[in-house]
PDB file of all heavy atoms in Angstrom:
ATOM      1  N   THR A1388     227.273 -72.361  80.676  1.00  0.00           N
ATOM      2  CA  THR A1388     228.430 -72.059  81.527  1.00  0.00           C
ATOM      3  C   THR A1388     228.104 -70.949  82.526  1.00  0.00           C
ATOM      4  O   THR A1388     228.439 -71.039  83.705  1.00  0.00           O
ATOM      5  CB  THR A1388     229.637 -71.640  80.660  1.00  0.00           C
ATOM      6  OG1 THR A1388     229.882 -72.667  79.702  1.00  0.00           O
ATOM      7  CG2 THR A1388     230.886 -71.441  81.505  1.00  0.00           C
ATOM      8  N   LEU A1389     227.432 -69.887  82.047  1.00  0.00           N
ATOM      9  CA  LEU A1389     227.126 -68.770  82.945  1.00  0.00           C
ATOM     10  C   LEU A1389     226.121 -69.167  84.026  1.00  0.00           C
ATOM     11  O   LEU A1389     226.236 -68.724  85.172  1.00  0.00           O
ATOM     12  CB  LEU A1389     226.615 -67.566  82.143  1.00  0.00           C
ATOM     13  CG  LEU A1389     227.705 -66.828  81.358  1.00  0.00           C
ATOM     14  CD1 LEU A1389     227.095 -65.779  80.438  1.00  0.00           C
ATOM     15  CD2 LEU A1389     228.722 -66.184  82.299  1.00  0.00           C
ATOM     16  N   VAL A1390     225.162 -69.996  83.659  1.00  0.00           N
ATOM     17  CA  VAL A1390     224.191 -70.453  84.667  1.00  0.00           C
ATOM     18  C   VAL A1390     224.919 -71.275  85.742  1.00  0.00           C
ATOM     19  O   VAL A1390     224.722 -71.060  86.947  1.00  0.00           O
ATOM     20  CB  VAL A1390     223.055 -71.271  84.011  1.00  0.00           C
ATOM     21  CG1 VAL A1390     222.207 -71.976  85.064  1.00  0.00           C
ATOM     22  CG2 VAL A1390     222.177 -70.352  83.157  1.00  0.00           C
ATOM     23  N   ALA A1391     225.800 -72.186  85.300  1.00  0.00           N
ATOM     24  CA  ALA A1391     226.557 -73.006  86.259  1.00  0.00           C
ATOM     25  C   ALA A1391     227.461 -72.127  87.114  1.00  0.00           C
ATOM     26  O   ALA A1391     227.533 -72.275  88.336  1.00  0.00           O
ATOM     27  CB  ALA A1391     227.387 -74.042  85.507  1.00  0.00           C
ATOM     28  N   LEU A1392     228.116 -71.183  86.474  1.00  0.00           N
ATOM     29  CA  LEU A1392     229.046 -70.296  87.172  1.00  0.00           C
ATOM     30  C   LEU A1392     228.311 -69.448  88.205  1.00  0.00           C
ATOM     31  O   LEU A1392     228.776 -69.293  89.342  1.00  0.00           O
ATOM     32  CB  LEU A1392     229.734 -69.405  86.133  1.00  0.00           C
ATOM     33  CG  LEU A1392     231.032 -68.718  86.531  1.00  0.00           C
ATOM     34  CD1 LEU A1392     232.057 -69.725  87.017  1.00  0.00           C
ATOM     35  CD2 LEU A1392     231.572 -67.934  85.335  1.00  0.00           C
ATOM     36  N   ALA A1393     227.156 -68.909  87.807  1.00  0.00           N
ATOM     37  CA  ALA A1393     226.399 -68.057  88.725  1.00  0.00           C
ATOM     38  C   ALA A1393     226.012 -68.840  89.971  1.00  0.00           C
ATOM     39  O   ALA A1393     226.140 -68.346  91.092  1.00  0.00           O
ATOM     40  CB  ALA A1393     225.166 -67.491  88.027  1.00  0.00           C
ATOM     41  N   SER A1394     225.557 -70.085  89.787  1.00  0.00           N
ATOM     42  CA  SER A1394     225.115 -70.825  90.967  1.00  0.00           C
ATOM     43  C   SER A1394     226.320 -71.208  91.832  1.00  0.00           C
ATOM     44  O   SER A1394     226.248 -71.160  93.058  1.00  0.00           O
ATOM     45  CB  SER A1394     224.250 -72.024  90.581  1.00  0.00           C
ATOM     46  OG  SER A1394     225.048 -73.128  90.291  1.00  0.00           O
ATOM     47  N   ARG A1395     227.440 -71.517  91.199  1.00  0.00           N
ATOM     48  CA  ARG A1395     228.641 -71.862  91.989  1.00  0.00           C
ATOM     49  C   ARG A1395     229.197 -70.643  92.716  1.00  0.00           C
ATOM     50  O   ARG A1395     229.808 -70.763  93.767  1.00  0.00           O
ATOM     51  CB  ARG A1395     229.723 -72.452  91.067  1.00  0.00           C
ATOM     52  CG  ARG A1395     229.336 -73.740  90.361  1.00  0.00           C
ATOM     53  CD  ARG A1395     229.587 -74.985  91.187  1.00  0.00           C
ATOM     54  NE  ARG A1395     230.965 -75.194  91.564  1.00  0.00           N
ATOM     55  CZ  ARG A1395     231.858 -75.859  90.831  1.00  0.00           C
ATOM     56  NH1 ARG A1395     231.517 -76.369  89.661  1.00  0.00           N
ATOM     57  NH2 ARG A1395     233.082 -76.023  91.257  1.00  0.00           N
ATOM     58  N   LEU A1396     229.009 -69.446  92.130  1.00  0.00           N
ATOM     59  CA  LEU A1396     229.536 -68.237  92.774  1.00  0.00           C
ATOM     60  C   LEU A1396     228.530 -67.605  93.731  1.00  0.00           C
ATOM     61  O   LEU A1396     228.771 -66.562  94.309  1.00  0.00           O
ATOM     62  CB  LEU A1396     229.963 -67.204  91.710  1.00  0.00           C
ATOM     63  CG  LEU A1396     231.166 -67.577  90.840  1.00  0.00           C
ATOM     64  CD1 LEU A1396     231.384 -66.541  89.751  1.00  0.00           C
ATOM     65  CD2 LEU A1396     232.432 -67.737  91.673  1.00  0.00           C
TER      66      LEU A1396
END
Side-chain angles (χ1 to χ4, degrees):
T1388 305
L1389 286 172
V1390 169
L1392 199 55
S1394 86
R1395 298 275 300 271
L1396 293 174

